[in-house]
Amino acid sequence: MRFGVMRPLVLNGELDLTFLAGKPVTAGLVVAAEVGLDSHRLMRDVEPGTDRKQMNPRVFGTRVTPFSSLRLAVILAVLAATAALVVGPSNVSAAHSGASALAVSAACDGESATPGETLTCRVRVSNTGGTELTGLFLLHYPYETDQPTENYAGYPPLHLGDLATHESLIVFTSYTVTTDDLPGPLVQTFGADSDQTDEAWAYATTPLLAHSGAATASALRSATVAELQANAEAFEYTVGTPGGSVTYSTIGAPLTLNLALSNDSTSSGILGYLFEGLTETSWLNLQVEPGLAESWEHSDDGLTWTFHLRRDVSWHDGQPFTAHDVDFTFNRIIYNDDIPTSDRASFTFRVFDEETASWREERMTVSTVDDYTVRFVLPVPFAPFLRSMGNAIYPKHILEPHVDDGTFNSVWGIETDPAEIIGTGPFTIETLEPDDLIVLRRNPDYWLTDSAGNRLPYLDEIRYLVVDGLADELPKFRSGETDVHGVLGAEFATLDPVQEAENFTLYSRGPTFGSTFLAFNMNPGSNAETGEPLLAPEKLRWFENTRFRQAVAYAVDKAAIIRDVQHGLGYPQWAFVSPAAGDFHNPDVRRYEYDIQKANAILDGLGWMDRDGDGIREDYAGNNIRFTMATNAGNDLRLRVLEIIQAGLAQIGIRGDISVIEFGEIVDQLTSSYEWESILIGFGGSSEPHFSISFWHSSESLHLWNPNQSEPATTWEAEIDSLFIRAGQELDHEERVRLYHEAQMLAADHAPVAYTTHSERLTAVRNVFGNLTPTLFGLWDIRYVYRTDL
């Protein structure tokens, strides 16, 4: 997986406007390309709140439909005026009745209000159950009002229509404060009901003090999977106009120009425009399509695959692309143990040895048949094999000398002249100014053409304006300096009313594929130079304790993150596979709902008590339960999430000290020095669970909490290892789903990381681009995008 910050390649936000050609991205820190398929390049999709500074699990291909925010204004029948009101136990959570298939969270604009002002409240109604809910209504009124009045906000109730499984609806509703509401604070109550079989309530408070401003009430409804699939099915490419550019903003710059060595999504995202694989995964429907290979066939047992390569492909320096480049890539780079590439994880096969009752590693053989034919022989079946063939191919004539003399790990560093980075892709790097500007230039000799025979890509340039932080991106979009923007939750209410006036469209597509979580260092190793342990022994004992990790998970207030950081545009994360991945997602894993009482009970049971009354618990040896929680600079959203986690930990007697450091230093700590305590980080996701094996398998380098294990340190890690191996080799889809569901259950039970939330994939795109449509996986294939205003 790769660490990084990623926007629609907007180098800083978990986006997924990102579909280059469907290249595979193996696991890495923070979303290499929040696409969840075999692509890491052509399809660029901007997502909110996740900078490209994430670990990037190389995944492999995707695309999206314009989504103007849904305005809910249908007012229907009156619910019983005397209906009893059930108020949640706090303004952070909701109380449930009925079948509890509904969840409601709410937050209101403004830190205070005075009579005459209009408060706008965001209410998220989610169907957390397994069946569709019909006849859904929303009620909203001040807590002091015990019956409908003329000023009753939300009477008659809003009719929200139906709500499919795991679908969410965000409603913006307003209330004008009156003198009757004083003295404050004003408590506003929100209830949702479906056919009187499911109901849920929540409330939000606002101090009644001086404050000005009002917002327009509106609603945002995430596009459903069916809607996004329908967009993909209806889409047809049109012949475009060549020229022009697309401009993004980003808070990240590449850490390396060597794609084989990259672990961050910024590096892999940029370099993904330069390199290609034998196959591509469609941004429309996830179908595997020809890439550098024009066709292939396989043996009846699925173990031998023969690929026939295109004969019209050349490297950026004009040299022909051949089967020898493919042979070199796999045998000299990916299977070279002296090269620390995370690509190797996807091509390492495990075979169970009955005699030793253990797993042994095997590799496939890769050989050239002739200049344009290459053969792969696998030791075992591999379900996502064709998808994995989206892995980047590298130029033998450029890189072989560096492999031969042992300098490959230092070649194509960040100081390298971008003109020296040679691939076959649709773009090259023209300008790389890490603190200011990144410009990608069209490859005039790219092999792909449109239906009229015109050589692609249409765009002359892709530009990234480097900014200091996420807050700097919206002003550049609204001023017209950028064309695409990953919308943060706090920005929706501002952008929604001005879509037409400012000539852009908001596209909403549900939860991200990627994850954000708090990881704990459980590495028992020592510093190679000093011999000192990587982690203080007492902290290692805490972090290795499953009950401790579970207590921390219960102290993570996901509702507060969604309400206060994502402004309602978020989803609590429970399983390591996102709901966006379809049936691979397990909705029935153990859930760590925010529960301070339960967390305290766990720690009490461990005998870790606050014996000196300073507010911090001590372990049985008298050590204060205190540790550092780091996150990357430039991402205020992650910092705010960390502050919410810190507040939750304080309530259970744990001191979490926040540290903000540069992203490159975080990557170094996680992949090289291993000297860290806990880190809030993002990780890229995919619609194919196998491509997170470098994170979940105990022997892999991105198994963050304890990497590169020679033998699994725990029974549960061994079980997850086995499940991933078996699922990767299982060709029956239903059985693969069952195996990954079991792995998610184990991971949730043992909580090696404490998950936070998925953000809403909400993207603003200027209305000047053709060949765009929202799908489950992205907004476009950048090679076919063209400007309509030239």
Side-chain angles (χ1 to χ4, degrees), residues 22 53 86-87 107 140 143 173 246 287 347 369 441 612 753 772:
K53 296 180 170 121
V86 182
V87 180
H140 165 209
Y143 178 55
T173 183
V246 59
Q287 294 299 308
F347 301 106
V369 177
R441 169 61 60 172
D612 57 10
V753 299
L772 174 156

Side-chain angles (χ1 to χ4, degrees), residues 110-130:
E111 298 177 356
S112 59
T114 57
E117 287 191 50
T118 300
L119 292 175
T120 297
C121 302
R122 302 171 185 83
V123 186
R124 176 183 282 279
V125 181
S126 300
N127 179 0
T128 62

Side-chain angles (χ1 to χ4, degrees), residues 71 74 259 311 335 411 417 429 450 525 598 620 677 756:
R71 303 196 181 274
V74 182
L259 180 59
R311 297 169 181 260
Y335 283 148
V411 73
D417 180 350
I429 302 176
D450 64 16
K598 185 173 291 187
Y620 64 86
E677 294 181 2
T756 59

Side-chain angles (χ1 to χ4, degrees), residues 41 272-276 314 316 423-428 443 446-447:
R41 187 181 54 89
Y273 289 106
L274 279 69
F275 294 93
E276 303 176 289
S314 61
H316 293 155
T424 61
F427 292 90
T428 60
N443 172 11
Y446 188 57
W447 55 270

Side-chain angles (χ1 to χ4, degrees), residues 298-335:
H298 61 81
S299 60
D300 291 341
D301 61 6
L303 298 182
T304 301
W305 293 75
T306 303
F307 290 82
H308 305 281
L309 308 185
R310 297 184 186 278
R311 297 169 181 260
D312 57 351
V313 178
S314 61
W315 295 97
H316 293 155
D317 61 359
Q319 292 297 308
F321 160 75
T322 71
H324 302 288
D325 297 304
V326 181
D327 183 324
F328 167 76
T329 295
F330 283 93
N331 291 320
R332 302 297 309 282
I333 296 180
I334 293 176
Y335 283 148

